[in-house]
């Protein structure tokens, strides 16, 4: 069984996000990038399945330019076998559905039968692409998996659902499963892994190589368009009340009632 | 006129520090500017009232624990005035975050940097893992605003002469990383760095910043025994950039080399399940690099010196680096848990020795027959051996062992304190290290700067 892991590069959580231009998005110049943490769980799970003899190969798939190659190398250093980087001028401006079409075409061309991905990327938090990929491929999909068992016949996946209850979903391959926190503890990259990663192949494929109808992806096909970017409004400065304690308490109570409207 | 706080409930929070000792004080002042600091000190000098400077109380030596009198907290002097200028009460780590957001770098990295104040780091010439390359805090300070114990405001740079009548001790500091005793300075700035709040209150600093290093490779390498670990340390620091030394071409050139003994590894194992079973020691290493990470060179060197090279783990980006740092922090956290469990304080060393004496002092640490955990800045031959006594009798024995090891470090040309300072707990050791004549010189300087001996009373040197 061949496993495909969907990988996305996201700004590290401590990055100070700035808007470059309200129409185009965040300023990326000084952003520190990292692998989407949920995708790391997916990579780790794929590697464990391979090490347990339940898969033959772990292939990384990502849509993006040359700037995502360092993240691909990081995941290859963890132990993934090779990577596909999907890039084409026609992919620019794709919405989630466009991205799912690109990935689904690559997954089909690769003969992958299990797709693992993070349950969502921590930048856009859309949580749409993996489910769309499953739908486009006509495969089963289980989201937010926190425990997984795989045998020759199929899989058993545990996922927390609303109200804290636990669903156990059984299914067969091919399938798309997305990883939640708790699925595993991703390994540290090793010095050996980094050296080996340098020798691993990152193939670049565009629309033609994937046999993809270019009119179904990219900005022209996007159903969802980011119309404007703004930062959340700044929190107003706090106020320090003056005077003696009795007066301040009185004023505080009155402000909590009249201004904050919490009492 | 600045008013004192005398509410015992407020004072309570200021009476102890990370040394686990406890003092007493009658009043607390929290000045808002250097003028108010001067006012408090002038009054104290006039009344002969002891004043202890306090900031965040991360000192492990009792330097900020008051022995009566007044407390002067720098907590309200907490403004960053420009990228390279800040008040003394600013939290060091918060200042560094701001500096780094602007693409600049202030290297000193004491373990407590996210808790301690900038002024305190300067006052005790703090250092950390990166001091291997960048040295302690001293070379990164360019100008200070100081308040003297008589309430005088001074500005100090390296071209500010030491005022007439202040007899600066001329003595040979050990040629190692050291934070023990007054610097044999030829300018006011260097005199103010490392004086542990006994000569001045530091109200503002102008700092030397450099461009933020582009990329850092972090790795944790495991070793089957101490011999291979020491061989590798020798190899890693050969030709490396260190204070006063430019890097040699082809050198591995790390910026930090940190050591963990097998007992420390037991604490790490809880967090890193694949810690190799054969490992008897580990090194945490950081390497700044341009372009691709120099992984092949490190692999080759580790393999040649007998490391368990297959198990070496690495971080090449910030997220992964943070995970490795969490592994490191498991060690001091684990030590503290053991202390709580034992119900006995730990006895921790802070000695540094010259490069040539590293193997000898390590052998002495290894030979100590007591529950212990050893880790720290091996690149600077500066290890923290933590003795963990389980009862009062063992505590007594631990203190005796500590003293013997301190004297051995001094005999090897080392220092009794490389980074924590002398504070109130190591006065006797400083006295043994410098000898009675230098100690008398320290006293003469102190008396000249602080006639009433009011500032930091009990810290570094006793009045007589």
């Amino acid at each position: 069984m061949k496993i495909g892991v969907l990988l996305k590069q996201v700004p590290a959580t401590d990055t100070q996000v700035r808007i470059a231009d309200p129409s185009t998005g965040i300023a990326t110049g000084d952003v520190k990038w990292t692998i989407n943490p949920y995708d790391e769980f997916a990579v780790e799970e794929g590697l464990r399945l391979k090490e347990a003899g339940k898969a033959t190969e772990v292939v990384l798939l990502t849509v993006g330019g040359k700037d995502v190659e360092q993240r691909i190398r990081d995941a290859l250093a963890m132990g993934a076998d090779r990577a596909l980087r999907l890039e084409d001028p026609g992919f620019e401006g794709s919405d989630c559905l466009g991205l799912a079409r690109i990935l689904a075409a690559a997954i089909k061309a690769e003969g992958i039968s299990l797709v693992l991905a993070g349950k969502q990327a921590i930048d856009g938090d859309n949580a749409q692409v993996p489910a769309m990929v499953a739908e486009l491929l006509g495969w089963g999909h289980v989201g937010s998996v926190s425990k997984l068992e795989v045998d020759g016949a199929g899989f058993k996946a545990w996922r927390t659902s609303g109200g804290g209850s636990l669903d156990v979903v059984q299914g067969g391959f091919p399938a798309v499963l997305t990883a939640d926190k708790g699925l595993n503890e991703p390994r540290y990259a090793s010095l050996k892994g980094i050296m080996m990663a340098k020798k691993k192949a990152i193939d670049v494929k565009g629309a033609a190589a994937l046999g993809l109808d270019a009119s179904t992806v990219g900005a022209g096909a996007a159903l969802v368009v980011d119309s404007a970017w703004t930062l959340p409004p700044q929190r107003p400065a706090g106020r320090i009340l003056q005077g003696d304690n009795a007066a301040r308490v009185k004023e505080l109570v009155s402000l909590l009632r009249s201004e904050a409207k919490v009492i | 006129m600045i008013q004192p706080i005398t509410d015992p409930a407020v004072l309570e929070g200021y009476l102890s520090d990370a040394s686990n000792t406890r003092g007493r004080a009658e009043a607390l002042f929290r000045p808002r500017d250097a003028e108010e600091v001067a006012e408090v000190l002038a009054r104290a000098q006039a009344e002969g009232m002891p004043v202890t400077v306090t900031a965040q109380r991360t000192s492990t030596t009792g330097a900020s624990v008051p022995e009566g009198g007044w407390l002067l907290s720098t907590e309200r002097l907490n403004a960053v005035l420009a990228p390279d200028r800040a008040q003394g009460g600013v939290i060091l780590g918060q200042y560094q975050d701001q500096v780094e957001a602007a693409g600049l770098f202030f290297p000193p990295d004491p373990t407590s940097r996210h808790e301690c104040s900038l002024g305190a780091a300067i006052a005790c010439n703090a250092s950390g893992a990166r001091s291997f390359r960048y040295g302690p805090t001293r070379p990164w300070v360019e100008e200070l605003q100081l308040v003297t114990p008589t309430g005088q405001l001074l500005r100090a740079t390296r071209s500010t002469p030491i005022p007439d009548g202040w007899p600066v001790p001329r003595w040979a500091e050990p040629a190692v990383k050291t934070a023990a005793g007054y610097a044999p300075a030829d300018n006011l700035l260097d005199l103010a760095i490392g004086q542990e709040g006994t000569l001045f209150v530091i109200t503002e600093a102008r700092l030397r910043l450099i461009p933020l290093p582009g990329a850092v490779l972090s790795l944790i390498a495991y070793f089957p025994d101490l011999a291979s670990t020491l061989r590798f340390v020798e190899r890693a620091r050969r030709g490396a950039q260190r204070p006063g030394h430019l890097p040699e071409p082809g050198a591995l050139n790390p910026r930090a080399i940190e050591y963990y003994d097998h007992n420390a590894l037991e604490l790490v194992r809880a967090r890193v399940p694949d810690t190799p079973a054969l490992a008897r020691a580990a090194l945490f290493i950081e390497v700044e690099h341009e372009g691709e990470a120099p992984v092949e060179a490190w692999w080759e060197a580790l393999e040649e010196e007998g490391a368990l090279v297959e198990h070496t783990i690495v971080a090449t980006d910030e997220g992964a680096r943070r995970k490795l740092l969490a592994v490191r922090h498991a060690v001091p956290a684990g030590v503290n848990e053991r202390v709580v469990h034992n119900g006995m304080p730990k006895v921790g060393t802070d000695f540094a020795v010259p490069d040539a004496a590293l193997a000898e002092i390590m052998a002495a640490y290894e030979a100590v027959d007591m529950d212990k955990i050893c880790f720290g800045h091996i690149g600077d031959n500066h290890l923290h051996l933590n003795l963990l006594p389980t009862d009062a009798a063992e505590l007594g024995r631990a203190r005796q062992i500590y003293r013997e090891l301190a004297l051995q470090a001094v005999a090897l040309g080392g220092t009794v304190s490389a980074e924590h300072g002398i504070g109130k707990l190591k006065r006797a050791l400083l006295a043994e290290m410098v000898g009675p004549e230098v100690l008398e010189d320290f006293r003469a300087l102190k008396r000249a700067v602080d006639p009433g001996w009011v500032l930091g009373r009990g810290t570094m040197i006793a009045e007589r």
Side-chain angles (χ1 to χ4, degrees), chain B residues 89-320:
Chain B
V90 165
I91 304 291
L92 175 59
Q94 288 175 10
Y95 168 67
Q96 286 172 317
D97 287 347
Q98 288 188 40
V99 165
E100 287 174 29
L104 295 166
F105 191 44
F106 180 66
D109 64 334
T111 309
S112 60
R113 72 190 183 97
H114 293 292
E115 292 93 42
C116 75
S117 76
L118 173 65
I122 296 169
C124 91
N125 194 24
S127 57
R130 302 194 289 238
S131 301
F132 175 71
R133 162 172 291 203
Y134 292 108
T137 303
R138 181 180 302 279
W140 303 97
V141 182
E142 299 206 314
E143 183 177 355
L144 292 175
Q145 183 189 55
L146 306 167
V147 183
T148 70
T150 54
Q152 201 188 347
L153 269 123
L154 298 174
R155 282 211 166 260
T157 68
R158 290 213 160 72
S159 45
T160 310
I162 291 166
D164 288 341
W166 289 7
V168 174
R170 296 280 150 231
W171 66 293
E173 284 187 292
V176 296
K177 178 161 115 184
T178 184
Y182 294 130
D186 59 5
N187 64 78
L188 186 59
L189 181 68
D190 278 317
L191 182 63
I193 299 168
Q195 43 82 28
E196 295 190 45
T198 62
L199 300 179
F200 311 104
V201 177
I202 295 169
T203 48
E204 194 184 307
R206 185 165 60 80
L207 305 151
R208 180 178 152 218
L209 305 178
I210 53 175
L212 187 64
V216 178
L217 168 70
S218 310
L219 47 96
I220 296 181
Y222 298 96
F223 295 83
D225 50 40
L226 184 58
S228 57
T229 314
L230 290 175
R231 271 202 312 276
F232 190 76
V233 169
E234 259 323 294
R235 169 110 175 222
R237 61 186 178 189
R238 204 177 301 150
Q241 178 183 337
R242 292 172 78 175
H245 295 274
L246 291 172
E248 287 168 23
L252 289 169
N253 202 20
R255 76 170 179 189
I257 315 175
E258 301 277 296
Y259 170 78
Y260 298 92
D261 77 350
H262 51 278
N263 296 317
L265 281 185
E266 287 309 315
L267 300 173
V268 169
R269 200 163 263 133
R271 283 186 184 232
V272 189
D274 40 0
T275 304
L278 282 175
R280 294 289 289 167
L283 294 176
F284 173 89
I285 290 163
E286 283 188 341
V287 193
E288 293 172 7
H289 61 91
E290 308 280 334
E292 280 206 24
V295 288
E296 285 82 5
W298 282 88
W299 174 279
E300 197 177 293
L302 285 163
E303 196 171 37
E304 281 176 20
E305 307 303 343
L308 302 168
V309 64
E310 300 264 329
H311 297 276
T312 308
I313 56 175
V314 295
T316 53
D317 70 16
E318 210 34 49

Side-chain angles (χ1 to χ4, degrees), chain B residues 36 73-74 80 99 102 114 158 185 188 203 205 239 263 279 321 323 343 361-362 372 376 406 419 434:
Chain B
E36 286 191 344
S73 168
T74 58
V80 176
V99 165
H114 293 292
R158 290 213 160 72
L188 186 59
T203 48
N263 296 317
R321 211 160 81 82
K323 270 168 65 182
I361 199 84
M362 291 287 284
K372 62 183 189 257
E419 65 176 345
V434 303

Side-chain angles (χ1 to χ4, degrees), chain A residues 113-183:
Chain A
S113 46
L114 171 60
V115 171
L116 296 169
K119 67 166 182 174
Q120 70 201 76
I122 61 160
D123 51 358
D125 280 319
N126 286 307
Q128 294 178 13
V129 172
M132 287 173 166
V133 166
E135 188 63 23
L136 290 166
L137 292 168
W139 298 1
H141 165 262
V142 185
S144 303
V145 174
S146 54
K147 185 183 167 192
L148 181 66
E149 283 175 7
V150 167
D151 61 29
F155 67 84
K156 206 169 171 185
W158 283 255
R159 65 187 297 272
T160 43
S161 55
S165 66
L166 203 61
D167 297 345
V168 185
V169 185
Q170 255 177 307
F173 301 115
V176 177
L177 307 176
T178 70
D180 200 353
K181 206 174 168 173
L183 181 60

Side-chain angles (χ1 to χ4, degrees), chain B residues 29-41:
Chain B
F29 291 88
R30 295 190 287 203
R32 292 178 182 278
D33 53 36
E35 286 68 27
E36 286 191 344
V37 173
E39 185 192 322
V40 172
L41 290 180

Side-chain angles (χ1 to χ4, degrees), chain A:
Chain A
M1 180 169 72
K2 207 190 256 191
I3 293 177
V5 179
L6 310 187
L7 207 66
K8 189 181 184 190
Q9 152 172 297
V10 296
T13 45
D14 63 339
T15 292
Q16 200 79 42
V17 173
R18 291 184 297 110
I19 304 292
D21 179 310
S23 62
T24 56
I26 65 166
T28 52
D30 51 359
V31 165
K32 279 185 191 149
W33 299 98
T34 181
I35 299 176
N36 176 40
Y38 292 112
D39 297 353
E40 253 188 331
F41 299 132
V43 175
E44 177 65 33
E45 199 62 17
L47 297 177
R48 289 185 188 192
L49 288 172
K50 188 188 164 190
E51 283 160 3
K54 288 167 183 164
T56 51
E57 195 180 24
V58 177
V59 183
L60 308 169
L61 298 110
T62 187
V63 181
K66 205 119 182 80
D67 61 310
V68 304
E69 288 212 351
Q70 187 50 52
R71 304 292 87 71
I72 297 175
R73 293 278 172 215
D74 292 346
L76 290 173
M78 286 173 73
D81 295 291
R82 60 191 177 84
L84 272 183
R85 182 165 69 78
L86 309 169
E87 185 188 17
D88 190 298
F91 295 170
E92 293 284 324
S94 293
D95 62 1
C96 288
L97 183 57
L99 292 170
R101 286 194 174 116
I102 299 163
L103 290 163
I107 290 161
K108 210 156 34 174
E110 276 292 325
I112 285 164
S113 46
L114 171 60
V115 171
L116 296 169
K119 67 166 182 174
Q120 70 201 76
I122 61 160
D123 51 358
D125 280 319
N126 286 307
Q128 294 178 13
V129 172
M132 287 173 166
V133 166
E135 188 63 23
L136 290 166
L137 292 168
W139 298 1
H141 165 262
V142 185
S144 303
V145 174
S146 54
K147 185 183 167 192
L148 181 66
E149 283 175 7
V150 167
D151 61 29
F155 67 84
K156 206 169 171 185
W158 283 255
R159 65 187 297 272
T160 43
S161 55
S165 66
L166 203 61
D167 297 345
V168 185
V169 185
Q170 255 177 307
F173 301 115
V176 177
L177 307 176
T178 70
D180 200 353
K181 206 174 168 173
L183 181 60
N184 54 50
E185 188 61 47
R187 69 197 59 194
Y188 293 89
S190 69
L191 197 54
K192 190 179 188 184
I194 289 198
M195 284 166 52
M196 285 168 61
K198 290 187 175 178
K199 299 185 188 108
K200 290 177 181 171
I202 301 177
D203 292 327
V204 183
K205 286 192 176 172
L210 295 174
L212 201 62
D213 176 356
S215 70
T216 63
V217 298
L223 303 174
V224 177
V225 178
D226 299 330
S227 53
W229 292 73
T230 58
L231 288 174
Q234 283 227 316
R235 233 168 46 155
R239 217 154 88 203
I240 296 171
L241 305 178
Q242 307 293 343
D244 66 20
N245 277 347
R248 283 190 294 179
V249 167
K250 208 166 159 204
E251 194 184 353
L252 177 65
V253 170
S254 116
L255 285 173
L256 286 173
R257 186 168 291 141
S258 66
E259 224 172 82
K261 296 191 168 61
V262 293
I263 52 174

Side-chain angles (χ1 to χ4, degrees), chain B residues 16-100:
Chain B
S16 56
D17 64 11
S19 69
N20 290 320
T21 56
R22 200 186 135 82
R24 60 199 156 72
E26 283 80 55
L28 164 70
F29 291 88
R30 295 190 287 203
R32 292 178 182 278
D33 53 36
E35 286 68 27
E36 286 191 344
V37 173
E39 185 192 322
V40 172
L41 290 180
R43 261 163 71 185
Q45 191 69 232
E47 294 176 26
M49 178 65 73
V51 181
T52 301
V53 193
T54 183
Q56 300 299 323
R57 293 163 295 283
T58 57
S59 166
T60 60
T61 63
S64 50
V65 174
E67 293 181 345
W70 295 348
L71 279 157
L72 190 157
S73 168
T74 58
E75 70 199 275
R76 287 184 170 168
L77 302 170
N78 61 353
V80 176
L81 306 163
D84 66 344
R85 222 155 53 82
Q87 288 185 302
V90 165
I91 304 291
L92 175 59
Q94 288 175 10
Y95 168 67
Q96 286 172 317
D97 287 347
Q98 288 188 40
V99 165
E100 287 174 29

